[in-house]
Amino acid sequence: MTLPTITPAKAQTLLDEGARLIDIRDADEHRRQSIPGAANMPLASLEPVSGHPAVIWHCRSGMRTAANAAQLAAMSGCPGYILEGGIDGWRAAGMPVATDAKAPLEIMRQVQIVAGLLILAGVILSLTVAQGFVLLSGFVGAGLLMAGATGWCGMARLLGAMPWNRRAA
């Protein structure tokens, strides 16, 4: 079963009629930028949604929701829809988006930045200081390969424990 895609304007109409808007992105992504009134229910912790005229699922660009449409449809105890273009499409349509510029970057963006810096440093150091520094690039590359293959990222865990990523209770 698949879910139909609706425009931000149609989504707003449904929201005005009592539909529920659910953001399936991880909590760190939702905390940094969200559609006002959207509930956060990451894919890893989906629960059935019912008791509303409709449920509208969204992510950042619409790709994650489209890729998981069958799972989202199974969780929709009422008519379910996917927001066309996700939060990016919502913003492009001129709809309001809440942004917390003080929230840290999403963990995966932090991983990409740190991994890129470590690989670049390993290459530069291996060319200018000692060839052995190329092992740094190889180690980071192996870690990224392992993360992609298993779904577990040690660097993401480490970055998640950093002080700037901890929320005050």
Side-chain angles (χ1 to χ4, degrees):
M1 179 179 191
T2 185
L3 294 173
T5 301
I6 59 171
T7 65
K10 176 65 176 169
Q12 184 61 61
T13 300
L14 290 173
L15 290 170
D16 291 343
E17 296 170 359
R20 185 162 182 211
L21 181 61
I22 299 181
D23 183 348
I24 64 166
R25 299 174 302 150
D26 288 335
D28 59 338
E29 295 174 273
H30 180 79
R31 188 171 29 248
R32 186 155 177 88
Q33 187 174 71
S34 62
I35 296 173
N40 183 226
M41 191 183 301
L43 278 172
S45 58
L46 284 178
E47 296 176 3
V49 177
S50 60
H52 300 277
V55 60
I56 305 164
W57 305 95
H58 86 85
C59 61
R60 185 182 59 79
S61 67
M63 292 181 68
R64 218 176 314 183
T65 48
N68 293 282
Q71 183 181 5
L72 298 173
M75 293 293 148
S76 301
C78 50
Y81 302 94
I82 293 175
L83 178 62
E84 181 180 80
I87 194 170
D88 291 345
W90 182 268
R91 185 183 328 94
M95 308 294 245
V97 174
T99 302
D100 181 358
K102 292 183 180 180
L105 289 174
E106 297 86 5
I107 293 294
M108 288 318 297
R109 284 189 58 198
Q110 291 181 44
V111 167
Q112 292 166 343
I113 291 168
V114 171
L117 284 172
L118 288 172
I119 290 170
L120 184 60
V123 169
I124 291 171
L125 289 170
S126 72
L127 293 172
T128 60
V129 177
Q131 290 180 347
F133 278 107
V134 76
L135 294 175
L136 175 61
S137 299
F139 178 75
V140 174
L144 292 173
L145 177 65
M146 186 70 157
T150 65
W152 185 86
C153 181
M155 189 182 298
R157 297 279 177 141
L158 180 64
L159 287 169
M162 293 292 114
W164 60 84
N165 286 321
R166 290 192 218 139
R167 293 292 276 191

